[in-house]
Amino acid sequence: GRDTGPSLLLTAHVDVVPTGDPAVWGERPFGGRVSASAVYGRGACDMKAGLVAALWVARACAALRVPLAGALLLGTVIGEEDGGLGTYALLRRGWRADACIIPEPTSLDIAPGNCGALSFRILVPGRAAHASRRLAGVSAIEKFFPLFAAVRRLEAERNAVKHPLTARWELPLSIEIGTVSAGEWASSVPDLLTAEGRMGVALGEDPDAARRALEETVAAACADDPWLREHPARVQWWGGQFAPGLTDVDAEILQVVRRAHAAVSSHPQATWATPYGSDLRLMHNIGGVPTVHYGPGDVALAHGPPGPRRVSNAPMRAIARRQSPKWLPHSTSTPDGTVWCSGTRDVLVDG
């Protein structure tokens, strides 16, 4: 770009979560098979579809030699699924723009915010004994049951009142235990249970306040149990620690994306915040860059098999519509009539 107009950063993460049991896929999780209407593979939805869409935007602008008024930046990062170290590094290297679009799978809706997500670990103590004399021991598994019930009650309390941007989600602030391990031998009473999970953080909530809520809930449940009262469970915080992030709903980038979307798509567009953590909060909270999620794909297909990403009947297009001389002083048309313009804030990915 000429650096005379606003700049836009398109950024996408290239890391993916584990595949889980390959047997439930029915094909190779990383095969990338393409059918008439879908791409199959881990990460097809989250978020290779968005990454490819961003690449097409840059490719189209280069191929058409669009005279951009401002810089169009394309960044790919790692580590998003476990805390965002890739975007931390990107920001540390000085990458900034006047606005940022992260093409996470939003079904082409606009998501200007993300709830936070905190990884935690609960260590539940027991007392080992031979299984034939189990009453001489204390099963850490049994002692986990009341703690799990308390966590479920906390989850219900935290979701009783919802932020307007998360009203569409039945459970925007979920607290889920993802792994549980206990014991070392089949014929022994387990003396330690380790449960790991994630805790949702509300828009505008201090992550430390959310941490205290879980710690106090576990402590209160321990106080109600004779064994745990004397041998309390411990809460540890580890792995991804995603703060919430929220771009002002009146920010110009939202208005520009809305206008561009309406100009080229019949898809009704909603505005909401994601119930999961993302790199938006780093771009906005640390980088000071107004950021939105806007991309192809349905997040319901993410993180689970078989993970197809629908392919449009039309080729994937990077489309920009001229909205005002300030943002889009030049435009070019392709033979099929698609309008390609120089307004870096007005890019629409239509998958």
Side-chain angles (χ1 to χ4, degrees):
R2 299 193 305 268
D3 293 329
T4 60
S7 57
L8 176 71
L9 170 63
L10 305 176
T11 179
H13 69 85
V14 296
D15 59 309
V16 299
V17 298
T19 62
D21 183 3
V24 304
W25 284 75
E27 57 189 291
R28 291 180 298 144
F30 293 106
R33 181 174 64 85
V34 180
S35 70
S37 61
V39 177
Y40 295 85
R42 169 56 80 231
C45 177
D46 184 18
M47 59 175 296
K48 297 303 185 292
L51 171 61
V52 170
L55 288 169
W56 270 72
V57 171
R59 178 182 177 184
C61 289
L64 294 169
R65 298 183 180 180
V66 178
L68 299 176
L72 174 62
L73 308 174
L74 176 63
T76 61
V77 297
I78 61 172
E80 189 271 353
E81 297 288 3
D82 193 32
L85 288 178
T87 295
Y88 273 116
L90 180 145
L91 291 170
R92 186 174 181 179
R93 289 179 171 90
W95 284 56
R96 297 293 190 280
D98 293 301
C100 175
I101 296 176
I102 302 177
E104 289 276 0
T106 66
S107 300
L108 298 184
D109 286 341
I110 299 180
N114 70 266
C115 294
L118 307 174
S119 297
F120 64 85
R121 178 182 293 122
I122 301 176
L123 303 175
V124 185
R127 183 168 62 200
H130 195 287
S132 66
R133 299 289 306 280
R134 72 174 186 86
L135 296 181
V138 176
S139 170
I141 295 175
E142 290 184 13
K143 294 305 174 183
F144 174 64
F145 294 157
L147 301 184
F148 182 73
V151 168
R152 278 289 186 255
R153 290 193 295 272
L154 174 64
E155 179 186 62
E157 293 169 5
R158 288 176 56 79
N159 284 276
V161 178
K162 300 177 183 178
H163 188 284
L165 286 175
T166 62
R168 65 183 283 138
W169 305 110
E170 182 179 359
L171 201 66
L173 306 177
S174 65
I175 308 176
E176 180 64 314
I177 304 295
T179 68
V180 177
S181 61
E184 297 179 327
W185 194 250
S187 60
S188 295
V189 175
D191 62 356
L192 178 66
L193 179 143
T194 301
E196 295 178 342
R198 63 84 73 186
M199 178 182 192
V201 185
L203 295 175
E205 182 180 20
D206 186 334
D208 283 339
R211 293 186 184 100
R212 284 194 299 272
L214 181 63
E215 291 166 355
E216 291 171 0
T217 293
V218 171
C222 288
D224 289 338
D225 181 272
W227 169 262
L228 293 175
R229 192 179 307 133
E230 300 298 324
H231 309 85
R234 292 177 291 139
V235 178
Q236 298 177 342
W237 301 97
W238 70 286
Q241 301 292 302
F242 294 80
L246 180 61
T247 293
D248 191 329
V249 294
D250 294 324
E252 190 166 7
I253 182 62
L254 273 76
Q255 312 311 320
V256 172
V257 171
R258 285 195 186 102
R259 290 197 302 268
H261 177 92
V264 298
S265 176
S266 61
H267 168 76
Q269 192 175 47
T271 301
W272 40 269
T274 70
Y276 50 83
S278 82
D279 283 345
L280 179 149
R281 100 280 187 190
L282 299 177
M283 294 302 305
H284 180 272
N285 298 355
I286 296 177
V289 179
T291 302
V292 297
H293 301 112
Y294 174 71
D298 184 351
V299 71
L301 299 176
H303 290 211
R309 157 71 181 105
R310 289 186 182 275
V311 177
S312 172
N313 290 332
M316 184 180 292
R317 299 173 297 163
I319 301 173
R321 294 285 296 189
R322 179 166 54 191
Q323 296 297 332
S324 71
K326 175 182 178 182
W327 298 111
L328 306 172
H330 302 284
S331 65
T332 306
S333 295
T334 60
D336 67 355
T338 299
V339 179
W340 306 81
C341 298
S342 62
T344 58
R345 286 201 176 200
D346 220 355
V347 173
L348 172 66
V349 177
D350 182 9

